[in-house]
Amino acid sequence: MTHTAQVAVNDATIHFDKLYTYLIPPELADSVWPGSMVLVPFGRGDHPRMAVVLAVGEEETPDPRCKSLLDAAPEDARLTPDLLELVQFLKERTFCTWFEAVKAVIPYGAQYQPGRKNGRPCVQSRLTRPTERRYTLVGDLPEKPKPGPRQLAAVQALREGPLTQKALELLGVSKATLDTLCQKGIVKAEEQFKSLDLFADIPFDPRPLTLSPEQQQVFDTLLPDLRDGQPHAALLHGVTGSGKTMVFLRLIEETLAQGRRALVLVPEIGLTPQMIRRLKSTFGSRLAVQHSALNNTERLLQWRMIQQGNADIVVGTRSAVFAPLQNIGLIILDEEQEHTYQSESAPRYSAHEVAKKRAAMEHSLLVFASATPRIETAHAAAAGRLKKVTLTHRYGGRPLPRVDFIDMRAELTSGNPREVSTRLAGELAENLKRGEQSILLLNRRGYRTVALCEDCGQSLQCPNCSVPLVYHKARRALLCHHCGHMLAPPPRACPQCGGKLLYTGFGTQKVEEELQTLLPGARILRMDQDSTMQKNAHEKMLAEFGRQDYDILLGTQMVAKGLDFEKVTLVGVLGIDSMLFGQGFRSYESVFSLVTQVVGRGGRSALPGRALIQTAVPQHPVLQLAAGQDYNAFYREEIAFRKFGLYPPFCAFCVLGFVGVKEAAVLTAASRFAALLAENAAAHPDMPLRLLGPVPMGIAMLNNKYRYKITLKCRNDVAFRALLRQTLDAYGQEKLPQKASVIIDFNSDGEL
Ligand code: ADP
Ligand code: ZN
């Protein structure tokens, strides 16, 4: 009998991701299991490539052409059966390659790559785990020769217990002294893995969790689902400020009391500090985080802590849904409506879907929470597929902010050229005088947006991407936000017709300047992608705003959600119209949610709140509904539109992208794919399927590559996925002059 392994290799494409069989040499027999990371000779040149083992077996007479595995990574890099199941799930649902799925579930720092040792190929860790030297006292200082004062100090310090080199250096003991003591056999040195407590500064300060009657009712309704050891899913729909977090804390408390663990997902990094603070102060330090603002080492150490069973609670953004946490009793997706829960690169998964899968595997209670749930989620609740619980009042009976509209057409007619209306400026000044804080939302970063030609009406475009270039004042340049192409200094004349270029539009930087002119004494904090590039910038800025070091917080959608500041009494919304008329079937949902969320940042404490929305279409129904914070009415309107136009939840919406350097070849490839799909579908007349396109994507060119798309309205079930897979295989075998790469996305709202 010969031992063999079935593996999937790194760097495959979706229409060429097969399993290959390799022999397991005797010296690796004990280290190759399903889920193991191995090194294999691949292709004609037998180049070493990383691969993941999906199955092992025994064969009487293996194919003589079968090659042998070169090396295997250590056990702690092996996918547990759970993670392997998630990899399989991703592959099946998102049409990614095996290895793309592996890279999604294992953080970079825990991955391996091909290397060489003693002239032979071997696996090599991507990151060496940082270690530190620790000293322990093992003997006594001799009387003679008389020890020096430094040696005495070192031994004195070590009498209390082992210390790290760093700690000893802080006490004035040098490495040289320690080396001498080691040589004499008085002290022993060991390398040990560095540990790190990311939240050492947050005090453990548990207080009894007392729920309001409404919160208690929600908790009581969910409690049986947490206790019966069966998988359950629920929607917690609670207006802004109703205290959803308080309900989470009680649910987590209950989960831990049952000896189980909790996974808490938030939609963006900016919201992690606040959640970590509340969790750590309530539950102590068996808490780990997983998000992209950690560096690779921090992320790895936190991951290992979870893997080794040393964390009871995991908090993080989308990818934390893959945390190697075991015995999960509770999974929470906070602000579940956020699009950041959908991955925009392979594997293009939705955290909702993966969370459901994990809840089913672990028999956990899964809670989707929001003040403005996704239409799909609300629909599932209405249909009884999720248990629905609601918080209809703000905590403490506080009223929701009063909302007014400012008609920007009237503002223009009256001769105000600024982006900040006279009324908003007045209210901001009022707040300043009273020592209260304000939040302004403008979902566009930068200074002025684009350069428009007065004569031909064209905007100045990136030569590599079909998008307008954006003016950045600090760099005195026009920049492409996609490929980074830069044009400096910004031209005055249109390169097409020579006409005069007008720089129009506005972003956060421009509004910041206007505010400085309008309110000279105001302390303004701008928060957007540009101002939060530095590590921990979010956390630092929000802490400063919370301490009232600033009067006005101006920013993009990152200021709209989840924040809880008691002194904020005024919220202003700028430039919302472009989102309202944006593309994609979710645009109304996004506007409704954003406006409701940001309005909800005001008046959360003793002081009442008010909100002002600047728009050219104050009568627009979506804005009116958002102003009234009337989710149920919005849901009724929106679900009717989705049904009428056939959009999710009434179908699955799948966008197929085709990308390549020659436009004609891309179009040919896309057309051929559409034809193959239609051909295959003809064999399944009962399968619901509508095929639209191919047409160029909204951004028709990106990085000098042409992009076409086919849109499918379908039912995303086993039969449909089999059909799509069959079509991909057929497409892979087509003899086309040039192949376009294929992207498949089940979570897109129209564009890729
Ligand atoms: P949501 O997430 O629903 O918008 P939060 O959980 O942030 O609301 O709660 C809003 C505010 O009310 C917070 O300042 C929170 O501390 C307070 N709060 C909510 N519930 C309670 C409670 N049961 N006891 C004390 N304070 C509460
Ligand atoms: Zn570009």
Side-chain angles (χ1 to χ4, degrees):
M1 281 293 187
T2 316
H3 295 280
T4 56
Q6 301 257 310
V7 311
V9 297
N10 193 6
D11 290 328
T13 58
I14 59 169
H15 39 263
F16 206 76
D17 187 25
K18 295 196 304 183
L19 296 189
Y20 299 88
T21 304
Y22 284 86
L23 306 178
I24 305 176
E27 69 272 20
L28 293 179
D30 290 337
S31 36
V32 178
W33 304 89
S36 290
M37 295 296 145
V38 292
L39 192 67
V40 301
F42 192 75
R44 282 211 195 112
D46 278 348
H47 288 297
R49 249 200 225 194
M50 288 308 298
V52 57
V53 177
L54 292 161
V56 292
E58 288 184 354
E59 282 178 46
E60 297 257 358
T61 46
D63 186 334
R65 286 167 301 178
C66 236
K67 301 169 196 168
S68 285
L69 298 178
L70 298 169
D71 194 9
E75 192 183 336
D76 65 4
R78 188 195 307 162
L79 293 169
T80 56
D82 287 352
L83 293 187
L84 195 56
E85 193 172 337
L86 291 180
V87 163
Q88 246 139 9
F89 179 80
L90 287 176
K91 163 87 180 162
E92 156 71 18
R93 291 301 176 98
T94 72
F95 288 81
C96 62
T97 65
W98 288 108
F99 226 81
E100 280 166 346
V102 168
K103 287 179 191 162
V105 306
I106 297 197
Y108 179 87
Q111 294 170 15
Y112 280 76
Q113 61 191 7
R116 285 191 91 75
K117 199 167 152 193
N118 304 330
R120 299 189 45 176
C122 67
V123 297
Q124 192 175 55
S125 171
R126 282 207 188 266
L127 205 67
T128 39
R129 197 171 158 186
T131 55
E132 59 193 353
R133 198 175 276 251
R134 195 171 70 149
Y135 293 91
T136 318
L137 197 60
V138 288
D140 271 331
L141 272 175
E143 310 254 318
K144 277 179 192 170
K146 199 165 180 288
R150 282 189 235 135
Q151 295 191 8
L152 280 169
V155 169
Q156 188 62 34
L158 288 170
R159 287 230 158 83
E160 308 281 312
L163 285 170
T164 62
Q165 181 180 332
K166 195 157 167 220
L168 284 160
E169 277 169 5
L170 285 174
L171 295 171
V173 179
S174 71
K175 172 119 186 341
T177 307
L178 291 163
D179 284 347
T180 316
L181 290 171
C182 284
Q183 272 162 20
K184 293 186 179 164
I186 297 161
V187 163
K188 192 178 75 185
E190 283 164 313
E191 287 294 320
Q192 64 163 27
F193 289 130
K194 217 172 185 165
S195 65
L196 125 151
D197 186 355
L198 286 176
F199 330 106
D201 59 316
I202 307 175
F204 176 47
D205 178 22
R207 305 204 176 151
L209 302 169
T210 319
L211 299 186
S212 72
E214 200 186 26
Q215 293 166 351
Q216 186 66 40
Q217 205 177 3
V218 164
F219 176 76
D220 291 341
T221 313
L222 294 176
L223 191 56
D225 291 355
L226 195 58
R227 282 194 170 150
D228 72 359
Q230 293 302 311
H232 291 281
L235 165 61
L236 167 53
H237 181 191
V239 297
T240 55
S242 57
K244 293 184 283 296
T245 319
M246 207 62 181
V247 177
F248 300 163
L249 295 179
R250 269 296 279 129
L251 288 171
I252 294 169
E253 188 178 51
E254 181 63 30
T255 306
L256 301 183
Q258 288 174 25
R260 304 188 75 191
R261 297 187 167 123
L263 176 60
V264 182
L265 302 183
V266 293
E268 55 183 278
I269 295 158
L271 294 180
T272 50
Q274 188 169 303
M275 190 61 88
I276 290 165
R277 201 159 281 280
R278 295 188 75 170
L279 290 171
K280 170 132 192 227
S281 63
T282 315
F283 300 111
S285 58
R286 286 176 60 86
L287 170 75
V289 283
Q290 287 287 289
H291 62 66
S292 56
L294 300 178
N295 66 34
N296 285 328
T297 306
E298 291 167 339
R299 185 146 188 181
L300 174 63
L301 291 176
Q302 293 282 305
W303 194 77
R304 290 268 184 249
M305 176 179 168
I306 305 167
Q307 191 189 37
Q308 288 158 2
N310 294 326
D312 294 329
I313 306 173
V314 174
V315 190
T317 47
R318 183 179 65 224
S319 61
V321 75
F322 300 115
L325 192 65
Q326 292 185 349
N327 192 8
I328 306 174
L330 175 70
I331 305 177
I332 293 169
L333 259 83
D334 194 13
E335 310 279 359
E336 68 89 29
Q337 80 284 357
E338 288 302 320
H339 71 93
T340 46
Y341 280 124
Q342 280 84 48
S343 161
E344 289 179 352
S345 58
R348 293 169 190 262
Y349 65 92
S350 145
H352 291 66
E353 234 188 339
V354 180
K356 265 188 226 159
K357 170 74 181 164
R358 292 205 84 174
M361 286 162 63
E362 298 274 338
H363 293 200
S364 0
L365 168 63
L366 168 60
V367 179
F368 297 112
S370 176
T372 55
R374 264 161 47 111
I375 295 294
E376 287 99 315
T377 311
H379 185 256
R385 276 176 280 127
L386 297 174
K387 185 183 260 189
K388 189 172 173 192
V389 283
T390 29
L391 292 171
T392 49
H393 301 293
R394 283 195 150 190
Y395 178 73
R398 281 151 205 153
L400 283 163
R402 198 192 68 230
V403 182
D404 278 334
F405 289 98
I406 300 170
D407 188 336
M408 292 308 279
R409 289 165 308 182
E411 196 75 18
L412 209 68
T413 326
S414 73
N416 178 8
R418 298 184 204 278
E419 304 304 338
V420 179
S421 63
T422 320
R423 163 105 188 267
L424 180 57
E427 299 270 355
L428 286 167
E430 189 67 25
N431 251 26
L432 263 183
K433 228 186 307 167
R434 288 204 295 244
E436 295 172 10
Q437 290 179 297
S438 312
I439 291 183
L440 295 185
L441 167 76
L442 169 57
N443 212 3
R444 215 175 314 145
R445 68 193 172 104
Y447 184 71
R448 288 181 166 157
T449 37
V450 298
L452 268 182
C453 173
E454 243 179 7
D455 290 347
C456 69
Q458 298 290 316
S459 63
L460 207 63
Q461 302 261 316
C462 170
N464 312 320
C465 311
S466 46
V467 295
L469 293 169
V470 179
Y471 181 58
H472 279 246
K473 193 183 184 204
R475 298 164 79 167
R476 270 201 31 86
L478 285 163
L479 282 182
C480 172
H481 280 186
H482 291 281
C483 73
H485 178 83
M486 188 161 105
L487 197 60
R492 285 156 197 266
C494 171
Q496 305 288 336
C497 74
K500 185 166 169 242
L501 284 178
L502 282 175
Y503 286 81
T504 64
F506 64 108
T508 43
Q509 290 185 34
K510 169 111 183 284
V511 169
E512 185 183 17
E513 281 187 14
E514 271 191 12
L515 289 172
Q516 275 158 354
T517 322
L518 286 166
L519 308 160
R523 297 164 303 167
I524 302 161
L525 177 63
R526 195 187 88 229
M527 232 177 123
D528 54 27
Q529 211 176 315
D530 302 303
S531 72
T532 52
M533 302 240 262
Q534 262 164 7
K535 195 169 155 60
N536 298 334
H538 285 101
E539 185 170 7
K540 198 167 143 275
M541 287 182 164
L542 293 176
E544 285 166 356
F545 189 68
R547 279 202 308 265
Q548 296 179 51
D549 293 352
Y550 292 95
D551 306 303
I552 301 174
L553 174 62
L554 160 71
T556 51
Q557 95 291 349
M558 59 179 80
V559 305
K561 283 159 284 180
L563 305 177
D564 188 30
F565 297 115
E566 53 177 337
K567 277 280 183 177
V568 174
T569 55
L570 173 65
V571 168
V573 179
L574 285 69
I576 196 76
D577 294 354
S578 61
M579 262 182 89
L580 202 50
F581 300 112
Q583 286 176 347
F585 70 88
R586 267 184 232 283
S587 58
Y588 282 5
E589 182 182 322
S590 310
V591 170
F592 180 84
S593 159
L594 189 61
V595 172
T596 309
Q597 298 283 342
V598 73
V599 165
R601 291 317 108 210
R604 294 170 73 84
S605 219
L607 303 164
R610 61 203 192 284
L612 292 173
I613 300 175
Q614 300 194 160
T615 172
V617 285
Q619 296 310 323
H620 198 289
V622 173
L623 294 181
Q624 288 289 335
L625 291 169
Q629 308 258 302
D630 191 347
Y631 180 82
N632 293 335
F634 172 73
Y635 174 77
R636 282 193 299 273
E637 297 265 327
E638 186 65 12
I639 202 81
F641 156 73
R642 299 279 180 95
K643 188 161 196 173
F644 178 75
L646 190 61
Y647 286 109
F650 299 99
C651 66
F653 194 84
C654 175
V655 176
L656 306 175
F658 298 84
V659 180
V661 282
K662 288 221 174 100
E663 185 171 12
V666 176
L667 179 56
T668 307
S671 307
R672 191 61 202 131
F673 196 101
L676 288 168
L677 189 67
E679 241 169 66
N680 287 333
H684 307 268
D686 295 337
M687 184 184 280
L689 178 64
R690 282 192 205 175
L691 191 155
L692 309 161
V695 292
M697 286 194 212
I699 298 175
M701 187 171 76
L702 208 60
N703 286 315
N704 280 315
K705 288 198 176 141
Y706 290 90
R707 295 149 42 91
Y708 275 77
K709 65 172 178 182
I710 297 171
T711 305
L712 303 178
K713 291 182 176 180
C714 54
R715 185 186 296 146
N716 184 1
D717 58 8
V718 174
F720 170 74
R721 291 194 295 269
L723 178 84
L724 191 53
R725 196 150 280 127
Q726 183 189 356
T727 309
L728 271 172
D729 289 343
Y731 173 78
Q733 281 157 21
E734 282 284 297
K735 302 237 176 316
L736 291 169
Q738 231 169 359
K739 227 151 245 178
S741 40
V742 187
I743 299 163
I744 297 180
D745 193 337
F746 281 96
N747 301 304
S748 152
D749 66 349
E751 291 298 330
L752 292 178

